[in-house]
Amino acid sequence: MARVKVAVLISGRGSNLKALIDAAAAADYPAEIALVISNRADAGGLDYARDAGIRHVVINHRGFADRDSFDSALEAAIVDAGADLICLAGFMRLLGSAFSLRWQDRILNIHPSLLPAFRGLDTHERVLAAGVRFTGCTVHFVRPEMDDGPIIIQGVVPVLPDEDPERLAARVLAVEHRIFPLALAWAASGRLSVRDGRVIVAGGTAPEEMPINPAA
Ligand code: GAR
């Protein structure tokens, strides 16, 4: 079976990249990570790509006059690698709307909240300040607005009493590492379609594929 080639874009630690690399190591996983792009040379996640023998490149946004030229450089590298899907795994740059629309329903982003709540940065601090009882993480198809787009999968994490942002972030991250590989597998095996702004998963989803209130 030909595996779908994926480009993973990162900006930092790369633990979600690592989860995708680990998932793609299975012979029956439908996607192959063909390229890792970081916009920062010091991103720790580049080591995961290097260790796994995956092609990786730094494309520093600061070297470009504007968003469109940065996006064009990203796109050239992605097309050159033969990638058909893009995963944003802690990639902290907003893609331009032309790029997002050209790759519509082929870019997956992970965000550490139950979208559409708590878009943007400092998510866990804001979750705690709001006093919500549950939070979680979301993988969605990218639209031009930040952390916006049709939802593929979410994982739910209870907010414990006396929680602090770091502990909460770690518990949410453990769930991120479960849902991102699953969402990518669904996308790569052609099971996802978008109708009226909502994602349909062909064949449905098993209850154990939807992490609700996990002990993580
Ligand atoms: C993850 O928690 C991811 O959900 C978040 O950045 C972190 C990256 O960690 N993404 C966003 O906030 C996007 N708006 P990682 O580099 O270890 O995967």
Side-chain angles (χ1 to χ4, degrees):
M1 174 194 64
R3 305 210 287 165
V4 175
K5 291 195 166 113
V6 181
V8 182
L9 276 53
I10 63 169
S11 296
R13 177 179 58 187
S15 69
N16 277 291
L17 164 65
K18 175 74 165 65
L20 296 176
I21 290 172
D22 289 348
D28 61 350
Y29 194 76
E32 160 194 350
I33 300 169
L35 176 68
V36 172
I37 304 177
S38 173
N39 66 309
R40 298 178 55 112
D42 61 355
L46 288 168
D47 290 340
Y48 293 126
R50 198 172 292 121
D51 292 350
I54 295 168
R55 185 165 151 190
H56 52 283
V57 61
V58 174
I59 302 179
N60 186 342
H61 57 280
R62 292 180 199 277
F64 296 87
D66 52 33
R67 193 188 301 282
D68 281 348
S69 48
F70 174 59
D71 288 355
S72 299
L74 292 178
E75 187 153 13
I78 291 164
V79 169
D80 186 57
D84 286 320
L85 289 172
I86 300 171
C87 287
L88 307 183
F91 182 66
M92 296 309 197
R93 303 295 304 171
L94 199 55
L95 296 167
S97 42
F99 184 103
S100 306
L101 293 173
R102 237 183 346 267
W103 287 80
Q104 178 149 313
D105 302 339
R106 291 186 294 156
I107 314 175
L108 288 71
N109 179 50
I110 187 149
H111 182 73
S113 77
L114 293 174
L115 290 174
F118 303 106
R119 293 178 168 132
L121 300 174
D122 302 322
T123 316
H124 304 295
E125 285 81 354
R126 290 185 292 122
V127 159
L128 292 176
V132 296
R133 299 303 193 224
F134 292 91
T135 184
C137 44
T138 303
V139 180
H140 64 96
F141 283 127
V142 166
R143 293 292 182 268
E145 298 298 313
M146 183 173 54
D147 299 324
D148 181 42
I151 291 166
I152 300 168
I153 186 169
Q154 295 184 304
V156 178
V157 173
V159 180
L160 302 177
D162 303 322
E163 192 78 88
D164 64 57
E166 289 73 30
R167 264 196 309 153
L168 182 58
R171 291 169 52 245
V172 171
L173 193 66
V175 181
E176 292 183 44
H177 297 163
R178 290 167 55 184
I179 67 170
F180 208 177
L182 198 49
L184 176 59
W186 290 345
S189 40
R191 287 178 61 191
L192 302 182
S193 55
V194 179
R195 200 181 306 150
D196 299 331
R198 290 191 301 252
V199 173
I200 295 151
V201 186
T205 55
E208 65 274 16
E209 291 183 316
M210 290 287 176
I212 294 173
N213 207 354

